[in-house]
């Protein structure tokens, strides 16, 4: 992709889709160059032409990972909404699910949309830091996302993070008792879980 934005615009507008999707020797194409430069309007032009392959990996990463890295959340949302019926969301990069990646880049709106479509295995999946989506949302204080997660009947409410804490302990530590109470409505929750430091959820309330 040339450095001149006006020339890039001309090539995107009049080039055919095969030309725009061409991958060079470094396994990059026009869209990945544009995303690296965060040229939102040029990326949008490629999206309007549908000159991309939604589930193709480029340099071992699916397109949605590239967009999240570019920090253009609106573009990621557009890609998801435009391709909701055929986009593969069961995708990982460096042992991170697509939702972990969105959370690491603090994309709350995208996370809310993604959890509408991902399966329970991704929701319960823990990355190489032993964090699942629930743990990350608690740490980020994305309580609106947690509300949506708590609607999932197969949510693993007894998952443990790398420090031995479960979601109940983390929520009570944050003094978010309303969400903690909703968590207690799960029949299989271990409300008496003890951390390696000997802490129980109820101990935190008494403190």
């Amino acid at each position: 992709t040339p450095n001149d934005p006006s020339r890039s615009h001309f090539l995107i507008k009049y080039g055919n889709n095969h030309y725009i999707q061409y991958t060079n020797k470094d396994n990059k194409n026009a869209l990945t160059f544009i995303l690296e430069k965060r040229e939102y309007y040029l990326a949008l032009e490629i999206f309007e032409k549908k000159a991309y392959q939604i589930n193709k990996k480029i340099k071992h990463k699916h397109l949605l990972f590239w967009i999240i890295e570019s920090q253009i959340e609106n573009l990621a949302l557009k890609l998801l909404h435009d391709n909701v019926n055929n986009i593969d969301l069961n995708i990982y990069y460096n042992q991170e699910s697509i939702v972990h990646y969105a959370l690491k880049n603090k994309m709350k709106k995208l996370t809310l949309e993604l959890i509408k479509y991902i399966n329970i295995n991704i929701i319960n999946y823990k990355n190489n830091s032993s964090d699942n989506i629930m743990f990350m949302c608690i740490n980020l204080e994305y309580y609106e996302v947690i509300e949506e997660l708590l609607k999932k009947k197969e949510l693993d409410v007894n998952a443990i993070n790398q420090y031995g804490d479960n979601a109940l302990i983390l929520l009570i530590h944050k003094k978010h008792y309303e969400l903690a109470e909703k968590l207690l409505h799960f029949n299989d929750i271990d409300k008496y879980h003890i951390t390696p430091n000997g802490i129980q959820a109820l101990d935190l309330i008494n403190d």
Side-chain angles (χ1 to χ4, degrees):
T1 303
N3 290 324
D4 181 359
S6 61
R7 186 180 178 192
S8 298
H9 165 74
F10 184 88
L11 292 171
I12 292 168
K13 184 174 182 179
Y14 295 104
N16 60 37
N17 285 8
H18 178 76
Y19 172 80
I20 295 169
Q21 293 177 46
Y22 171 77
T23 302
N24 68 7
K25 63 180 181 180
D26 295 321
N27 198 23
K28 290 185 177 182
N29 61 21
L31 184 54
T32 56
F33 277 109
I34 287 167
L35 290 172
E36 285 177 339
K37 293 180 180 182
R38 301 184 182 180
E39 298 283 359
Y40 173 75
Y41 75 97
L42 288 175
L44 198 58
E45 289 181 10
I46 290 178
F47 274 34
E48 294 299 332
K49 289 191 70 167
K50 297 283 185 182
Y52 59 86
Q53 293 174 282
I54 183 62
N55 293 316
K56 181 182 178 180
K57 284 186 178 180
I58 304 168
K59 297 202 76 165
H60 310 293
K61 285 185 292 190
H62 285 82
L63 178 56
L64 195 50
F65 284 107
W66 280 92
I67 297 171
I68 291 171
E69 277 187 3
S70 73
Q71 297 288 316
I72 310 175
E73 187 171 23
N74 287 340
L75 198 62
L77 286 165
K78 178 173 175 53
L79 183 75
L80 177 61
H81 292 152
D82 287 354
N83 299 277
V84 69
N85 292 322
N86 56 14
I87 188 171
D88 182 7
L89 295 176
N90 188 26
I91 51 177
Y92 299 82
Y93 180 67
N94 285 343
Q95 298 183 39
E96 304 279 358
S97 77
I98 194 64
V99 191
H100 283 84
Y101 223 65
L103 287 168
K104 278 196 167 185
N105 286 273
K106 298 182 178 179
M107 294 187 175
K108 183 179 178 181
K109 290 180 181 178
L110 179 61
T111 301
L112 274 168
E113 286 302 302
L114 285 169
I115 61 176
K116 292 179 182 178
Y117 306 108
I118 59 174
N119 62 49
I120 195 65
N121 292 329
I122 299 175
I123 288 174
N124 289 330
Y125 172 80
K126 292 199 289 187
N127 63 11
N128 53 12
S129 298
S130 293
D131 278 331
N132 61 20
I133 296 167
M134 174 69 83
F135 294 145
M136 294 182 77
C137 287
I138 293 172
N139 290 334
L140 290 166
E141 300 185 354
Y142 284 177
Y143 298 124
E144 187 179 351
V145 182
I146 296 171
E147 289 273 10
E148 294 302 313
L149 290 173
L150 290 172
K151 295 176 183 177
K152 308 288 185 180
K153 294 181 180 179
E154 295 178 313
L155 180 69
D156 184 0
V157 293
N158 293 317
I160 305 299
N161 67 10
Q162 61 181 318
Y163 305 108
D165 300 318
N166 61 11
L168 181 63
I169 288 174
L170 293 174
L171 284 170
I172 291 176
H173 180 70
K174 294 272 190 181
K175 301 187 185 304
H176 211 298
Y177 302 118
E178 183 180 341
L179 287 175
E181 186 175 355
K182 289 183 178 182
L183 200 57
L184 287 168
H185 290 163
F186 283 80
N187 293 328
D188 59 340
I189 189 167
D190 181 8
K191 57 186 175 184
Y192 301 112
H193 168 72
I194 302 175
T195 71
N197 294 326
I199 297 172
Q200 283 186 319
L202 294 179
D203 295 333
L204 296 172
I205 296 177
N206 293 330
D207 289 344

